[in-house]
């Protein structure tokens, strides 16, 4: 096993309630169960010695001249790792059967199926769980039917194998070695469930075949709901599947990423837990899915959002807080897991997120924009709850906050927060008017216009000829790339084009975009970070909308080269093109979708002026 494979060297499988990462050589080094935000049972991605892992792969130590490739079965979340060697060619298919039910369950199953298509290959299995972020011991019982039962706190893991795999104990872990010839298959199923719920039974070929067929059919059926027919079908489909995999089916709550603690800088301290539902990220994810034609996700999120308004009790004291656990719990106490060394010794490893009690006024605009995309804005109860929010916001919008990037350096009057406040009122007015709903339209309109005038007066920096990060600085901020999309400025407005030019000069590095300059605008944290993939795709979208179509397409195609081998993105790109931060990141994939749609629209129109600057290499 590679102690710490690159962050990008992973595919993701999931069942819509939890997800696992599989490394490029076939090791599951991250899995939390029974929910995305539950403690881990495999976490060697955060500590290669202590974290625990589940290896099921060709035994590369016994094979000379081998190569390994990984791919998804087209338009599914079935991950295939292929092993090619002079002695034979084989593969392992990893998947979790999707469970779209609105009822949460403790039962989740990882299926791993090996087969050889030519010659013969030796395989190894090593299942070494470490419960509760590797803090809790477990016991192992070998059962009479040849299966193995791991007992940890609040969770049992039941490992069953097909008849070609003989499991044997290795201390409190389980290992196996076996060889397959051409045409032979072998399978393993690891089922997590509440204590005492396992049912001993052999793993049959029919069970394996039924599981993979159900997984295959689910994803193909779901993806048929997409109306995207543009130029980047494969990448957009992969992003849509990724966003769906990162959505907790029982509540409809999207999470920001499948992982926690992965660093934004190797050896740095910017290592956060992203397995929660941010109002901002979730709203933008739902907006991307709506734009692709998926409406059920919008309905589920709207219900989840209404329930948060009804529940109250936020850690921040606001009507909504910036993030929640996936079941809506507002308490996300942050703790440091100091027994884990962190990815490539990038400590501290944090579980929970102390930013939950921050004030970020932008969340109301992002939620309103997502809700406004749907023709069905919800029932009477839901509308009244949202109208009360806007009435409250009309009294409270003019406050400093921590801003979209959750800075820990003090509150400011962030321009982006004001921008999304404007969006909240604008969309509220639009929904009330379109659907003839009761609302204080006059007050909302006056407040919207006041916000607009304040942004133009105080968010615009005359010296920079640009909109800036907050009212007391001349620092630029890439979050403002959303200005044209939300309709605050026209994409060809001179004020916007000069802002875009300023960002080109200061934040853009060969199409990659930094969020802001932390040296010029301290955020309360040590160290640096890479370019932010969300912003890089927002930049593509802004270029396209501004008519700089050739430049936008080139930047988009370059961004796609940073995707990993199966089309997934983390949060950031490092100095050498490596992926950094939590993985895969919903922010990145939702922005990829938006950029592809905007660029397709402009290319189809064919009326954009030539890109600026001129294309490279004299073309």
């Amino acid at each position: 096993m590679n102690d710490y494979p690159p962050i990008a060297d992973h595919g993701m499988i999931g069942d819509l309630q939890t997800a696992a990462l599989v490394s490029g050589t076939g090791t599951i080094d991250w899995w939390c169960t029974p929910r995305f935000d539950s403690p881990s049972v495999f976490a060697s991605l955060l500590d290669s010695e202590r974290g625990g892992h589940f290896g099921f792969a060709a035994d590369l130590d016994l094979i000379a001249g081998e190569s390994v490739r990984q791919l998804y079965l087209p338009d599914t979340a079935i991950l295939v790792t292929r092993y090619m060697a002079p002695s034979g060619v084989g593969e392992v298919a990893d998947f979790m059967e999707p469970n779209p039910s609105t009822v949460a369950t403790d039962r989740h199953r990882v299926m791993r199926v090996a087969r050889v298509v030519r010659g013969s290959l030796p395989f190894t299995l090593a299942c070494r769980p470490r419960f509760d972020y590797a803090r809790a011991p477990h016991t192992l019982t070998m059962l009479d039917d040849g299966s193995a039962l791991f007992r940890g706190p609040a969770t049992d893991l039941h490992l069953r194998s097909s008849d070609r795999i003989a499991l044997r104990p290795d201390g409190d872990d389980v290992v196996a070695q076996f060889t397959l010839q051409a045409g032979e298959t072998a399978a393993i199923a690891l089922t997590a469930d509440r204590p005492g719920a396992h049912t001993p039974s052999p793993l049959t070929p029919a069970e394996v075949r039924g599981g993979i067929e159900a997984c295959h059919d689910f994803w193909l059926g779901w993806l048929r709901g997409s109306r995207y027919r543009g130029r980047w079908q494969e990448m957009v489909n992969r992003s849509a599947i990724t966003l769906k995999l990162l959505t907790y089916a029982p509540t409809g709550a999207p999470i920001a990423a499948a992982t926690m603690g992965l660093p934004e800088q190797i050896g740095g301290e910017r290592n956060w837990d992203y397995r929660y539902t941010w109002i901002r990220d979730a709203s933008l994810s739902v907006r991307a899915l709506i734009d692709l034609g998926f409406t059920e996700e919008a309905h589920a999120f709207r219900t989840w959002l209404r329930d948060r308004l009804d529940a109250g009790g936020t850690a921040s004291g606001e009507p909504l807080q910036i993030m929640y656990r996936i079941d809506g719990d507002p308490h996300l106490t942050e703790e440091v897991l100091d027994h884990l060394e962190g990815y490539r010794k990038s400590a501290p490893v944090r579980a929970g997120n102390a930013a939950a009690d921050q004030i970020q006024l932008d969340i109301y605009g992002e939620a309103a924009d997502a809700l406004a995309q749907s023709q069905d804005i919800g029932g009477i109860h839901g509308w009244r709850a949202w109208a009360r929010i806007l009435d409250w916001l009309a009294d409270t919008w003019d406050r400093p906050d921590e801003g979209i990037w959750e800075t820990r350096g003090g509150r400011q009057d962030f321009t982006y927060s004001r921008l999304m406040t404007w969006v909240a009122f604008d969309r509220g007015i639009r929904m009330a008017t379109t659907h003839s709903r009761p609302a204080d339209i006059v007050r909302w309109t006056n407040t919207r216009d006041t916000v607009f005038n304040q942004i133009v007066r105080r968010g615009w920096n005359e010296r920079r000829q640009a909109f800036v990060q907050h009212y007391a600085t001349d620092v630029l901020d890439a979050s403002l790339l959303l200005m044209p999309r939300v309709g605050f400025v026209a994409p060809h407005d001179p004020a916007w084009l000069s802002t875009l030019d300023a960002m080109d000069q200061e934040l853009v590095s060969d199409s990659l975009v930094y969020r802001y300059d932390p040296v010029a605008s301290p955020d309360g944290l040590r160290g640096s970070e890479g370019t932010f993939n969300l912003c890089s795709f927002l930049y593509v979208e802004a270029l396209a909308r501004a008519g700089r179509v050739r430049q936008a397409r080139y930047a988009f195609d370059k961004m796609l080269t940073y995707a990993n081998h199966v089309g997934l993105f983390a949060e950031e790109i490092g100095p050498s093109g490596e992926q950094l931060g939590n993985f895969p990141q919903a922010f990145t994939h939702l922005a990829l979708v938006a950029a592809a749609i905007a660029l397709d629209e402009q290319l189809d129109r064919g009326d954009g002026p030539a890109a600026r600057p001129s294309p490279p290499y004299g073309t």
Side-chain angles (χ1 to χ4, degrees), residues 304-598:
W304 180 88
L305 190 62
R306 185 198 65 202
D307 290 344
R308 304 288 70 71
L309 292 172
D310 288 346
T314 61
S316 63
E318 305 283 293
L320 286 174
Q321 67 183 43
I322 69 170
M323 73 180 91
Y324 297 81
R325 292 190 179 274
I326 52 180
D327 61 359
D329 185 348
H331 303 293
L332 285 80
T333 303
E334 187 175 298
E335 61 177 323
V336 173
L337 305 179
D338 53 14
H339 65 288
L340 299 177
E341 73 171 11
Y343 177 81
R344 296 187 179 178
K345 302 187 186 302
S346 299
V349 175
R350 297 181 177 91
N353 201 309
D357 62 358
Q358 288 189 355
I359 295 175
Q360 295 179 16
L361 295 171
D362 63 277
I363 63 176
Y364 301 102
E366 287 131 357
D369 188 52
L371 296 177
Q373 306 310 310
S374 174
Q375 292 300 312
D376 173 18
I377 64 169
I380 294 172
H381 177 71
W383 171 256
R384 285 177 172 171
W386 189 248
R388 286 195 298 271
I389 286 287
L390 291 183
D391 289 339
W392 168 86
L393 192 59
D395 292 327
T396 58
W397 66 270
D398 197 9
R399 294 178 291 158
D401 66 355
E402 275 86 4
I404 180 177
W405 306 129
E406 290 152 24
T407 59
R408 300 191 180 192
R411 294 175 181 171
Q412 298 286 349
D413 293 310
F414 284 101
T415 306
Y416 179 80
S417 297
R418 297 298 196 273
L419 169 69
M420 298 313 290
T421 298
W422 177 88
V423 170
F425 289 111
D426 181 76
R427 302 308 190 264
I429 294 164
R430 184 183 306 175
M431 287 188 285
T433 303
T434 300
H435 299 281
S436 301
R437 296 299 173 97
D440 194 342
I441 298 292
V442 172
R443 186 183 186 208
W444 293 0
T445 301
N446 289 337
T447 306
R448 180 198 64 184
D449 295 347
T450 299
V451 177
F452 180 93
N453 291 328
Q454 186 190 88
I455 293 172
V456 171
R457 186 177 72 256
R458 301 183 63 193
W460 172 261
N461 186 282
E462 191 66 27
R463 185 186 69 81
R464 300 298 306 273
Q465 287 292 291
F467 290 100
V468 292
Q469 184 181 61
H470 60 77
Y471 294 167
T473 188
D474 62 0
V475 172
L476 302 177
D477 193 307
S479 64
L480 297 178
L481 286 163
L482 278 167
M483 274 185 156
R485 187 212 282 189
V486 300
F488 185 86
V489 294
H492 299 93
D493 188 297
W496 171 245
L497 294 178
S498 65
T499 300
L500 190 55
D501 288 339
M503 291 185 184
D504 264 328
Q505 297 169 15
E506 183 170 305
L507 299 181
V508 180
S509 174
D510 189 36
S511 82
L512 299 174
V513 182
Y514 291 92
R515 295 190 292 181
Y516 54 90
D517 180 357
V519 176
S521 179
D523 56 14
L525 297 166
R526 297 188 303 273
S528 62
E529 62 180 21
T531 56
F532 210 72
N533 292 331
L534 165 75
C535 299
S536 298
F537 281 119
L538 292 181
Y539 174 65
V540 170
E541 181 183 357
L543 288 173
R545 293 181 184 278
R548 301 176 182 182
V549 181
R550 192 182 305 163
Q551 184 183 358
R553 182 166 191 174
Y554 186 48
F556 187 69
D557 285 342
K558 283 197 290 186
M559 270 303 298
L560 296 185
T561 69
Y562 292 102
N564 80 345
H565 56 290
V566 290
L568 301 182
F569 285 91
E571 184 178 20
E572 300 182 4
I573 301 296
S576 302
E578 71 276 19
Q579 296 206 33
L580 294 172
N582 285 301
F583 178 91
Q585 180 85 356
F587 246 174
T588 305
H589 287 279
L590 67 89
L592 185 158
V593 169
I597 291 173

Side-chain angles (χ1 to χ4, degrees), residues 14 76-78 95-98 210-220:
T76 76
I78 300 171
F95 65 94
M96 298 177 72
E97 188 176 336
I212 200 165
E213 287 177 355
C215 185
H216 184 268
D217 292 348
F218 172 86
W219 287 110
L220 291 184

Side-chain angles (χ1 to χ4, degrees), residues 14-15 73 76-79 93-99 109-113 160 187-189 203-219:
D15 64 0
L73 288 187
T76 76
I78 300 171
L79 187 69
D94 290 310
F95 65 94
M96 298 177 72
E97 188 176 336
N99 180 4
R109 184 177 65 177
V110 172
M111 294 284 290
R112 317 195 73 182
V113 183
R160 297 181 296 145
I188 198 84
L203 183 61
T204 66
E207 183 180 356
V208 175
R209 185 170 55 253
I212 200 165
E213 287 177 355
C215 185
H216 184 268
D217 292 348
F218 172 86
W219 287 110

Side-chain angles (χ1 to χ4, degrees), residues 43-371:
S44 59
L45 192 57
L46 295 178
D47 194 310
S48 62
E49 294 296 324
R50 301 181 185 89
H53 66 273
F54 182 14
F56 185 70
D59 190 342
L60 302 183
D61 291 336
L62 300 179
I63 305 172
E66 87 287 340
S67 63
V68 183
R69 299 289 186 271
Q70 203 171 53
L71 70 155
Y72 280 109
L73 288 187
D75 292 339
T76 76
I78 300 171
L79 187 69
V80 179
T81 307
R82 308 200 74 222
Y83 306 92
M84 291 163 279
S87 63
V89 175
E91 58 192 30
V92 172
D94 290 310
F95 65 94
M96 298 177 72
E97 188 176 336
N99 180 4
S101 171
T102 57
V103 178
T105 179
D106 291 331
R107 184 179 178 84
H108 304 278
R109 184 177 65 177
V110 172
M111 294 284 290
R112 317 195 73 182
V113 183
R115 70 168 183 156
V116 168
V117 297
R118 183 181 62 78
S120 67
L121 285 178
F123 288 81
T124 62
L125 178 153
C127 188
R128 306 186 186 280
R130 299 295 182 264
F131 292 82
D132 189 25
Y133 304 119
R135 292 182 295 194
H138 69 270
T139 61
L140 170 66
T141 302
M142 301 301 296
L143 303 178
D144 293 340
D145 62 355
S147 65
L149 182 64
F150 304 93
R151 287 192 173 95
T155 301
D156 283 355
L157 293 178
H158 186 205
L159 186 68
R160 297 181 296 145
S161 64
S162 60
D163 55 10
R164 286 192 173 92
I165 304 175
L167 303 177
R168 59 184 176 83
D170 181 24
D172 287 330
D173 302 325
V174 169
V175 297
Q177 292 84 35
F178 59 98
T179 297
L180 297 180
Q181 307 295 328
E184 293 181 338
T185 64
I188 198 84
L190 181 65
T191 303
D193 210 335
R194 65 187 184 276
H198 74 282
T199 303
S201 62
L203 183 61
T204 66
E207 183 180 356
V208 175
R209 185 170 55 253
I212 200 165
E213 287 177 355
C215 185
H216 184 268
D217 292 348
F218 172 86
W219 287 110
L220 291 184
W222 180 78
L223 204 55
R224 278 196 290 270
S226 173
R227 58 174 174 242
Y228 180 79
R229 300 294 182 269
R231 294 164 177 80
W232 294 279
Q233 187 93 39
E234 184 176 352
M235 289 300 295
V236 169
N237 284 357
R238 181 54 51 201
S239 290
I241 290 171
T242 302
L243 294 176
K244 181 67 171 176
L245 279 170
L246 294 175
T247 301
Y248 186 62
T251 63
I255 62 171
T259 58
M260 54 175 263
L262 293 180
E264 298 174 16
Q265 178 188 30
I266 301 300
E269 69 168 336
R270 299 167 185 258
N271 317 318
W272 313 112
D273 190 347
Y274 279 7
R275 301 168 302 150
Y276 306 116
T277 299
W278 271 253
I279 298 293
R280 173 190 62 236
D281 302 42
S283 298
L284 293 172
S285 291
V286 168
R287 168 69 191 270
L289 290 173
I290 292 173
D291 288 345
L292 291 175
F294 299 105
T295 57
E296 289 185 7
E297 289 72 16
H299 174 74
F301 177 66
R302 184 170 55 239
T303 300
W304 180 88
L305 190 62
R306 185 198 65 202
D307 290 344
R308 304 288 70 71
L309 292 172
D310 288 346
T314 61
S316 63
E318 305 283 293
L320 286 174
Q321 67 183 43
I322 69 170
M323 73 180 91
Y324 297 81
R325 292 190 179 274
I326 52 180
D327 61 359
D329 185 348
H331 303 293
L332 285 80
T333 303
E334 187 175 298
E335 61 177 323
V336 173
L337 305 179
D338 53 14
H339 65 288
L340 299 177
E341 73 171 11
Y343 177 81
R344 296 187 179 178
K345 302 187 186 302
S346 299
V349 175
R350 297 181 177 91
N353 201 309
D357 62 358
Q358 288 189 355
I359 295 175
Q360 295 179 16
L361 295 171
D362 63 277
I363 63 176
Y364 301 102
E366 287 131 357
D369 188 52
L371 296 177

